[in-house]
């Protein structure tokens, strides 16, 4: 092999190593254990959650991708505005989120997990509605009562 071929091979190996290192760094979170049940206190409310993980993508104002969980639909939250996507992005992306999964209907027709999403200091579902960034979209069956989310 000539020097040019060896240089190209080494460059490719280097780039692949960089990509995996960056991806691993973004996905790692030493402060949270993925998919563990527990409790979290948000404001003055203590809630139980069934799953947790790092939010790796905000798909839209009421759908996120959580590492180790998959796509999560914010339950009872519909018609998000364009500002809702920015809000969810600012609050969730790259952070650990805690999911109170709807026990009555844990997934929707698209296999997304239906849940109330919490961060360390915010009930995302409630905040979207309270800030007029989305409307309540109540459906049954649901463990959550109408107006609870």
């Amino acid at each position: 092999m000539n020097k040019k071929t060896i240089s190209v091979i080494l460059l490719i190996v280097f780039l692949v190593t960089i990509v995996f290192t960056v991806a691993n760094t973004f996905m790692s979170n030493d402060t949270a254990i993925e998919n563990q049940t527990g409790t979290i206190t948000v404001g003055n409310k203590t809630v139980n959650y069934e799953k947790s993980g790092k939010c790796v993508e905000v798909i839209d104002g009421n759908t996120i991708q959580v590492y180790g969980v998959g796509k999560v639909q914010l339950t009872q939250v519909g018609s998000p505005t364009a500002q809702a996507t920015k809000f969810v992005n600012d609050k969730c992306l790259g952070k650990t989120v805690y999911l109170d999964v709807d026990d009555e209907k844990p997934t929707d027709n698209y296999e997304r997990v239906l849940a109330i999403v919490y961060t360390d200091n915010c009930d995302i579902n409630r905040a979207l509605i309270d800030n007029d960034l989305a409307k309540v979209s109540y459906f049954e069956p649901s463990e959550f009562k109408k107006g609870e989310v």
Side-chain angles (χ1 to χ4, degrees):
M1 288 196 282
N2 63 29
K3 289 182 181 181
K4 187 174 183 178
T5 305
I6 292 172
S7 296
V8 169
I9 290 171
L10 289 174
L11 179 62
I12 290 170
V13 169
F14 175 74
L15 291 174
V16 169
T17 303
I18 294 283
V19 167
F20 281 114
T21 302
V22 169
N24 189 40
T25 300
F26 186 75
M27 296 294 192
S28 70
N29 185 355
D30 297 332
T31 62
I33 300 172
E34 310 287 340
N35 295 318
Q36 290 290 322
T37 61
T39 59
I40 184 171
T41 302
V42 178
N44 60 358
K45 180 180 177 185
T46 300
V47 294
N48 295 312
Y49 63 88
E50 289 88 8
K51 296 179 182 271
S52 66
K54 186 174 273 192
C55 175
V56 294
E57 180 184 7
V58 174
I59 297 165
D60 60 34
N62 64 352
T63 311
I64 61 176
Q65 181 83 22
V66 178
Y67 182 72
V69 176
K71 288 185 182 174
V72 176
Q73 179 74 30
L74 280 69
T75 190
Q76 314 295 334
V77 175
S79 305
T81 63
Q83 293 87 2
T85 302
K86 181 179 179 344
F87 178 85
V88 174
N89 194 64
D90 291 345
K91 295 286 186 183
C92 296
L93 188 62
K95 298 181 177 112
T96 299
V97 293
Y98 305 90
L99 310 176
D100 184 358
V101 177
D102 190 333
D103 294 336
E104 294 290 321
K105 187 173 182 183
T107 59
D108 67 5
N109 295 338
Y110 303 102
E111 299 300 315
R112 297 175 293 196
V113 173
L114 295 170
I116 299 175
V117 176
Y118 298 95
T119 62
D120 287 331
N121 59 4
C122 187
D123 174 339
I124 302 298
N125 300 47
R126 179 85 268 157
L128 286 169
I129 293 165
D130 288 350
N131 290 299
D132 294 323
L133 298 173
K135 297 186 183 327
V136 174
S137 177
Y138 186 74
F139 59 86
E140 291 183 345
S142 177
E143 119 182 47
F144 309 109
K145 309 230 181 320
K146 189 171 187 175
E148 182 179 2
V149 174

